[in-house]
Amino acid sequence: MINQGWSYREQVDRRSAGQTVLEYYTCHYRHSSPSEWQERIVLGQVLLNDRVTTAEERLQAGQWLTYHRPPWEEPEVPLAFEILYEDDDLWVIAKPAGLPVLPGGGFLEHTLLWQLQQQYPQDAPIPIHRLGRGTSGLMLLARSPLARAQLTQQMRDRQIRKVYRALVGVGDLEDGFTITQPIGKLPHPVLGYVYGATSNGLPAHSECQVLQRRSDATLLEVTILTGRPHQIRIHLAAVGYPLLGDPLYDVGGVPRLASFRHPEKVPVPGDCGYHLHAYHLTFTHPGTGRSMNMTCSAPPELWG
């Protein structure tokens, strides 16, 4: 299915002042080559202060750049999701693996947010937290201003408890263990950066419990006390046990990039294949004040 295209508008900051239009886009958006950006500028798809520009024009701080991306065909994804709980304040849904939550990485209309906005144009439910594209399970969405404010605050105060099921390889993991590896930004040849295990990153905390030891895999329950991007994938990889099928994170919690020479083959966080499921969610209802405990059945490979 061809989507409607999209316009990306952004303001030039002081650090980018003096760059040419071509240098700006080549530096900031490495998913496309300089020749591809050159062609888009020549075709008039890039505007500077709402007027046609040239690749060689120098930028000034405060100017506005707009890239009008023409309609494109998005990858097919599972668009249906199940509503497990609903009232006037909030929803709890079961997101399928493969469905992105927000636009990005070639996805615009094939996202949870777009589907919500189309089905509820006046008051679309708003995600309070995200799940990776390849992650399935429980997501919390606000339907009222009160719920959005209070649930967001609960997230900041770490009052929302999130428990996951994860599948890793066979090994000598302890029955219970804690991971506190900091998570920060690492260079990425296409995206500019991705998150990974770093010595100077932000604090992150995961509590892990072995649920089942199989001949070919180990099933874990992971409770995250912080919500860093891709935290479980990075943390388990950092201690030597990447999620089975994870195309991005390797042992050590760093991205698999060394063997990829072609940009179109470099793995990105939205690539699927790993086994991770948001199994249990606990929070305080913003309207009634009662404790909410939600569970979402895991895929067969993540059953304990």
Side-chain angles (χ1 to χ4, degrees):
M1 184 183 71
I2 304 295
N3 62 31
Q4 302 174 32
W6 192 252
S7 293
Y8 303 87
R9 185 172 170 84
E10 57 201 292
Q11 193 168 28
V12 179
D13 59 23
R14 292 182 180 178
R15 292 174 297 178
S16 301
Q19 288 184 327
T20 66
V21 174
L22 180 58
E23 288 171 343
Y24 181 92
Y25 278 101
T26 300
C27 176
H28 286 77
Y29 302 103
R30 302 178 189 178
H31 52 69
S32 297
S33 67
S35 61
E36 289 172 320
W37 281 119
Q38 173 84 30
E39 181 179 6
R40 292 165 185 158
I41 296 168
V42 170
L43 291 174
Q45 296 173 5
V46 175
L47 303 180
L48 178 61
N49 284 349
D50 299 321
R51 61 172 174 78
V52 175
T53 184
T54 66
E56 298 77 22
E57 185 167 358
R58 298 275 172 190
L59 298 173
Q60 301 175 23
Q63 291 180 313
W64 287 93
L65 281 166
T66 306
Y67 165 47
H68 294 290
R69 184 178 181 182
W72 72 93
E73 185 174 358
E74 299 182 37
E76 291 296 326
V77 301
L79 296 176
F81 56 88
E82 182 181 0
I83 302 173
L84 302 178
Y85 175 87
E86 63 177 312
D87 60 28
D88 292 340
D89 287 311
L90 60 90
W91 276 8
V92 179
I93 69 166
K95 185 190 85 70
L99 175 63
V101 175
L102 301 178
F107 294 98
L108 174 63
E109 297 178 9
H110 287 186
T111 61
L112 174 63
L113 185 63
W114 184 277
Q115 299 303 313
L116 292 170
Q117 291 171 342
Q118 300 310 300
Q119 295 179 37
Y120 303 90
Q122 302 303 320
D123 57 346
I126 300 171
I128 295 299
H129 61 104
R130 305 181 193 179
L131 294 180
R133 182 189 165 209
T135 306
S136 60
L138 294 167
M139 276 196 64
L140 183 58
L141 297 91
R143 297 206 68 192
S144 68
L146 170 69
R148 183 178 184 182
Q150 290 198 11
L151 292 173
T152 299
Q153 190 62 48
Q154 288 184 43
M155 284 289 294
R156 292 196 192 101
D157 296 340
R158 302 181 185 178
Q159 295 174 345
I160 296 180
R161 185 171 185 266
K162 295 182 286 185
V163 182
Y164 292 74
R165 294 281 178 90
L167 201 63
V168 300
V170 177
D172 56 355
L173 286 167
E174 297 181 8
D175 289 340
F177 56 98
T178 298
I179 309 174
T180 56
Q181 167 67 52
I183 293 175
K185 295 179 179 179
L186 294 172
H188 189 279
V190 175
L191 303 179
Y193 71 87
V194 293
Y195 288 93
T198 63
S199 59
N200 58 350
L202 294 173
H205 190 144
S206 301
E207 296 288 343
C208 307
Q209 186 76 34
V210 173
L211 295 181
Q212 189 179 73
R213 300 180 190 271
R214 306 173 186 169
S215 61
D216 59 347
T218 305
L219 178 63
L220 301 176
E221 181 175 273
V222 184
T223 302
I224 56 173
L225 281 69
T226 51
R228 307 302 177 203
H230 318 300
Q231 178 172 320
I232 294 175
R233 298 170 66 185
I234 295 168
H235 265 183
L236 291 173
V239 297
Y241 291 86
L243 294 181
L244 287 181
D246 193 328
L248 178 61
Y249 290 105
D250 207 348
V251 172
V254 295
R256 291 186 174 99
L257 301 177
S259 61
F260 294 88
R261 299 181 179 179
H262 303 287
E264 66 274 11
K265 295 183 179 179
V266 174
V268 296
D271 292 341
C272 300
Y274 57 89
H275 301 282
L276 184 62
H277 178 77
Y279 175 72
H280 188 81
L281 185 66
T282 303
F283 60 95
T284 300
H285 193 289
T288 65
R290 64 188 176 97
S291 179
M292 303 286 290
N293 292 278
M294 306 295 301
T295 301
C296 179
S297 297
E301 60 271 16
L302 294 176
W303 288 351

